[in-house]
Amino acid sequence: MIVPAEELLKIERKIDWDEYIEKVKPIVEKVKQEGDKALIEFTKQFDSVKPKYLKVPKEEIDRAYDIIEDEIIDALEVARENIERFHSITAVERDMKIDFGDCILGKKYTPIDSVGIYIPGGRASYPSTALMAGIPANIAGVKRIVACTPPDKDGRIKPLTLVACDIAGIKEIYAVGGAQAIAAMAYGTETVPKVDKIVGPGNVYVTAAKLLVQKDVPIDMPAGPSEILIIADETANPEFVALDCVAQLEHDPMALAIVLTTSKDLAEKVNELTKNIVAERYAEINLNNLKIAVVKGIDEAIRLANMIAPEHLSMMFKKAEDYLDKIKHAGSVFVGELSPVACGDYASGTNHILPTSGYAKVLSGLSVETFMKHITYQILSEDALRRIGDAVIKLAKAEGLPFHALSVERRLRPESSS
């Protein structure tokens, strides 16, 4: 659908989370009160299946390798290698120690003890999410990594998801999905352990549950529904633009695709191509969530993109790399028409768990640092204490904290009794 550019800023992307939080609150409370019993009841109610197990037995994981074709396992290994390589190289230095001469100041990073990963498995199954979350968590050094994902129609976890979890180093896998899975990881049940942080994408109910429990257990970010914004000029391949839009829209009926182009001809071609692609493939895709606008130039497109702060930003125009520094707000950026978002979703190495709905203005995508926290430290010499001591004493007294001041005075002037 071709619309005026100014209309894009009026698109309502902020979901009324209060409404969904109210819907999931009874689910979360029941899991807190009844534990495994509630998990089984909600799985029957929402997934129309009785799970064969809550915790996946090891033999089920071993069996999965016999079911999944070797070429798919090889593809997962390729993705693992690239994700591991990128996240290892870009991870923050673990110990930053700065010698200022008379004192040493530093910051050290330590891993969170336990994390829970939500892996979607309802309308679509995303074993790739196991890699995207499990690999950085292992690089960070998290001791206990657990995953929750909905069972299939047979009450089991899909074999491909089990293989992906195993390759990602996730040893504890639980057959539970939805808001009830988030509640289980947040508060613990007889079977599912309580964790220190919850990460992973999900539908509006999963995200609402994450927002609800974050008062007790920290989360990574609100991640979903998915979205893409493409900036294109007359040199862009309209088929590539159309396919990237449709690919994003197939995630979810609430997914969003925006195209900002300097070419009216391209806008019309993309509009027509998306309709044809969906019709030819008989795909159930909501093209009402495709918005195409013609802009005056690339600078205007980038200005709008920074205001929208999309989850995925694709740049298909001449010398696109030269404009990378002008991008201030985006979850992940894909430069050039040979860099489709699908590659970032699976195997290029960057992460696909990204902030949506404009949260890219203040939040980053998942990384090794998501699973770590930092501790600052200081080692002061006598010279350093004397250099700053008088300032500390004066400020402490000014704030009405005499013992703060005294703790420094007695070190500087041990004979002082004041």
Side-chain angles (χ1 to χ4, degrees):
M1 181 185 298
I2 299 177
V3 299
E6 58 269 20
E7 290 295 315
L8 298 176
L9 299 178
K10 299 177 183 178
I11 296 175
E12 185 54 58
R13 297 160 64 217
K14 294 292 185 183
I15 294 170
D16 183 1
W17 289 117
D18 289 341
E19 175 188 344
Y20 287 100
I21 286 172
E22 284 302 313
K23 290 180 179 179
V24 301
K25 190 178 291 184
I27 298 171
V28 171
E29 287 301 319
K30 188 167 184 177
V31 172
K32 285 175 68 175
Q33 297 297 322
E34 300 182 14
D36 287 352
K37 178 175 179 286
L39 295 183
I40 294 169
E41 286 182 9
F42 285 130
T43 301
K44 290 179 182 177
Q45 180 180 342
F46 298 126
D47 299 319
S48 301
V49 65
K50 181 180 179 180
K52 295 289 185 183
Y53 41 65
L54 284 180
K55 183 177 182 180
V56 179
K58 186 179 184 304
E59 55 267 25
E60 188 88 348
I61 300 171
D62 295 338
R63 187 177 72 91
Y65 277 93
D66 297 328
I67 298 172
I68 301 303
E69 297 176 1
D70 288 344
E71 62 182 20
I72 302 299
I73 295 174
D74 290 343
L76 287 172
E77 290 288 359
V78 169
R80 179 201 60 76
E81 181 180 345
N82 289 336
I83 295 165
E84 191 171 69
R85 178 179 62 182
F86 175 79
H87 285 75
S88 294
I89 292 173
T90 59
V92 69
E93 187 178 343
R94 297 297 175 108
D95 191 353
M96 304 176 188
K97 182 184 290 185
I98 308 163
D99 191 338
F100 287 101
D102 60 359
C103 67
I104 294 173
L105 304 181
K107 180 163 66 172
K108 60 178 293 187
Y109 282 80
T110 60
I112 294 168
D113 287 337
S114 62
V115 298
I117 299 167
Y118 187 82
I119 302 171
R123 187 174 185 269
S125 178
Y126 296 117
S128 55
T129 296
L131 304 180
M132 292 293 176
I135 291 170
N138 272 294
I139 293 171
V142 177
K143 290 181 181 178
R144 187 173 196 178
I145 306 171
V146 306
C148 283
T149 188
D152 62 16
K153 60 182 176 60
D154 297 319
R156 303 176 182 274
I157 300 301
K158 290 182 173 64
L160 183 56
T161 299
L162 293 178
V163 171
C165 284
D166 191 59
I167 288 174
I170 303 170
K171 303 305 180 186
E172 291 186 47
I173 311 162
Y174 298 90
V176 56
Q180 60 270 27
I182 302 301
M185 291 188 286
Y187 303 108
T189 71
E190 298 92 329
T191 301
V192 183
K194 180 185 184 302
V195 298
D196 295 320
K197 188 171 187 177
I198 298 172
V199 306
N203 63 20
V204 288
Y205 297 102
V206 169
T207 303
K210 286 172 65 178
L211 292 171
L212 176 60
V213 304
Q214 71 173 339
K215 66 182 185 300
D216 299 314
V217 180
I219 65 171
D220 51 354
M221 71 195 86
S226 196
E227 58 196 27
I228 186 173
L229 189 153
I230 300 173
I231 301 175
D233 65 7
E234 71 283 355
T235 67
N237 185 319
E239 183 184 15
F240 294 169
V241 176
L243 283 169
D244 284 359
C245 288
V246 174
Q248 203 64 35
L249 293 174
E250 75 175 329
H251 274 294
D252 188 290
M254 297 177 70
L256 176 66
I258 296 173
V259 178
L260 298 175
T261 178
T262 56
S263 167
K264 183 179 179 182
D265 181 59
L266 183 102
E268 292 172 348
K269 286 180 179 178
V270 170
N271 190 41
E272 192 63 28
L273 278 167
T274 53
K275 295 176 184 177
N276 292 339
I277 291 168
V278 171
E280 289 172 3
R281 302 275 177 165
Y282 303 103
E284 294 181 8
I285 289 173
N286 183 9
L287 285 180
N288 290 326
N289 286 349
L290 169 64
K291 308 296 180 184
I292 305 170
V294 179
V295 294
K296 294 178 182 178
I298 296 299
D299 286 335
E300 182 187 355
I302 290 176
R303 179 183 67 82
L304 289 169
N306 281 327
M307 294 176 72
I308 292 169
E311 176 190 16
H312 305 98
L313 174 61
S314 181
M315 300 165 67
M316 299 190 208
F317 54 87
K318 287 180 292 188
K319 299 182 178 179
E321 190 174 351
D322 294 345
Y323 288 80
L324 195 53
D325 286 344
K326 293 187 176 182
I327 304 303
K328 304 302 179 187
H329 307 302
S332 191
V333 183
F334 301 80
V335 183
E337 62 180 23
L338 297 182
S339 305
V341 169
C343 287
D345 282 346
Y346 294 106
S348 66
T350 59
N351 212 285
H352 78 202
I353 303 174
L354 303 166
T356 59
S357 302
Y359 284 106
K361 288 183 178 178
V362 293
L363 296 174
S364 304
L366 188 141
S367 67
V368 175
E369 288 73 44
T370 302
F371 303 99
M372 303 181 79
K373 55 190 175 57
H374 71 260
I375 304 167
T376 58
Y377 62 89
Q378 47 266 295
I379 307 171
L380 274 60
S381 67
E382 184 177 342
D383 287 343
L385 185 61
R386 292 191 180 282
R387 175 169 59 83
I388 67 172
D390 283 345
V392 174
I393 291 166
K394 288 174 182 175
L395 290 170
K397 288 180 177 180
E399 289 191 349
L401 300 172
F403 290 106
H404 280 64
L406 185 60
S407 71
V408 176
E409 287 177 332
R410 292 303 294 265
R411 286 173 168 82
L412 290 175
R413 297 181 286 276
E415 72 287 349
S416 172
S417 60
S418 59

